[in-house]
Amino acid sequence: MKSEGNFSLKAALASAGERLAILLKDDNLNTLHGRKKIGHILAYYKFPLFILCIFLYFIGYNIYGHITHKDVVLYAALVNVAAGEDLTWQLREGFMAYAGTDMSKNELKLYTDLYLTDDELNAYHEYTYASRMKILASIEGKQMDIVLMNREAFDAFSQNGYLHDLDSFLSAEDPDLYRALEPSLVSNIVILEDNADDMALDDSLSYSALTQEHRFGLNLSESPYVEQAGFGDTVYLGIVANTPRTEAVMSYLRYLAGDRAPLSCPDA
């Protein structure tokens, strides 16, 4: 089937090329003017012109994509956290300015409008399924490095084993920063195995699970950026366990945890 499809496409392009060649040599065009010439072209050469337009579109699209392409230095996500314009700028452009990153060639990808909740009365419950699919795809594709979240999302990420044990991770990457942040590290559990599948087949069973407890989160209450935003609930930071961008993650952590005055959005 694949070879037939390729043959059909090649045949169509060849046919379009032949017709365009005929169009260039068509003597009738020299005797026609105005609407009659346009009508003649549309009547006899509509298909090759259509193919040509598609071909030119894809060439232009690829050139535009090449010119405007930016490398992603870090992927961050806000889950069950709504950030205003100023905080969004600080989490994205503010960090890049702090890191001295060339914003004409690089970007920080910030996922927003992600919600996880089991509460059916929650106003954002209808977005949970789509958010879960996007989160899973991003983690699987190694396109999520840092997560800022509320307690409910922190529990979900921890229990599913998506986050680094920060004691091990930070002590290995930057012992000095680890000692400074250690009082703000927060414990949670990871579920190693449970009987959820068995319960689905036998409702007489009670839930049981084998878990471990580690410090998967960082309480950002004292971060100058989060503190300035004035959240009513605690915001936790987690580092996704399979991140390949360790250096950028550590730089982002130093930026958020710093005691410097927050950078401000130019338009704020």
Side-chain angles (χ1 to χ4, degrees):
M1 293 296 292
K2 185 175 180 181
S3 59
E4 291 179 4
N6 291 337
F7 178 78
S8 299
L9 177 59
K10 290 179 180 178
L13 290 173
S15 175
E18 290 173 359
R19 292 198 182 190
L20 286 172
I22 294 172
L23 170 62
L24 296 175
K25 299 178 180 179
D26 192 340
D27 294 333
N28 291 327
L29 291 178
N30 297 324
T31 61
L32 298 174
H33 301 280
R35 293 183 179 178
K36 290 184 178 180
K37 179 180 286 190
I38 295 174
H40 179 79
I41 292 173
L42 292 178
Y44 292 95
Y45 306 103
K46 186 185 301 182
F47 175 70
L49 288 174
F50 175 71
I51 295 296
L52 178 62
C53 288
I54 293 177
F55 181 68
L56 292 175
Y57 168 79
F58 279 110
I59 289 178
Y61 181 82
N62 288 331
I63 292 174
Y64 176 79
H66 179 73
I67 294 174
T68 60
H69 172 75
K70 292 184 178 182
D71 293 324
V72 178
V73 297
L74 188 75
Y75 294 88
L78 299 174
V79 183
N80 292 5
V81 173
E85 180 180 348
D86 191 56
L87 180 58
T88 298
W89 184 91
Q90 291 167 346
L91 294 175
R92 191 168 50 208
E93 289 85 359
F95 166 69
M96 296 183 70
Y98 157 83
T101 305
D102 185 350
M103 291 188 226
S104 66
K105 298 179 180 178
N106 303 277
E107 65 175 328
L108 185 152
K109 179 68 175 179
L110 181 65
Y111 300 116
T112 59
D113 299 324
L114 296 176
Y115 300 97
L116 295 177
T117 180
D118 292 326
D119 182 3
E120 295 184 359
L121 299 179
N122 189 298
Y124 298 105
H125 183 265
E126 62 181 292
Y127 302 107
T128 293
Y129 179 78
S131 294
R132 184 177 289 114
M133 293 300 100
K134 185 171 183 177
I135 289 169
L136 289 173
S138 298
I139 292 176
E140 181 68 22
K142 296 184 179 181
Q143 293 183 336
M144 186 176 291
D145 306 303
I146 293 279
V147 187
L148 275 66
M149 53 201 156
N150 72 348
R151 182 71 203 200
E152 186 174 14
F154 176 40
D155 289 343
F157 270 78
S158 297
Q159 290 169 13
N160 284 283
Y162 297 152
L163 302 178
H164 263 302
D165 172 358
L166 294 183
D167 285 302
S168 300
F169 181 78
L170 294 179
S171 61
E173 295 296 329
D174 189 335
D176 291 335
L177 182 63
Y178 169 60
R179 284 190 288 270
L181 296 180
E182 188 176 7
S184 299
L185 299 183
V186 183
S187 296
N188 213 321
I189 63 168
V190 55
I191 299 175
L192 303 178
E193 59 179 75
D194 63 14
N195 66 338
D197 292 338
D198 294 334
M199 287 182 63
L201 300 175
D202 185 353
D203 56 12
S204 67
L205 296 176
S206 299
Y207 180 75
S208 62
L210 176 63
T211 65
Q212 284 184 354
E213 185 172 322
H214 298 282
R215 294 201 284 189
F216 294 114
L218 173 67
N219 185 333
L220 286 179
S221 298
E222 296 183 3
S223 166
Y225 300 98
V226 174
E227 185 178 25
Q228 184 188 54
F231 289 110
D233 298 326
T234 301
V235 176
Y236 300 90
L237 178 147
I239 299 174
V240 177
N242 68 345
T243 174
R245 287 165 283 272
T246 301
E247 185 175 344
V249 164
M250 293 304 298
S251 181
Y252 200 68
L253 194 55
R254 295 184 194 100
Y255 166 72
L256 289 182
D259 56 4
R260 68 190 65 82
L263 298 176
S264 298
C265 174
D267 297 329

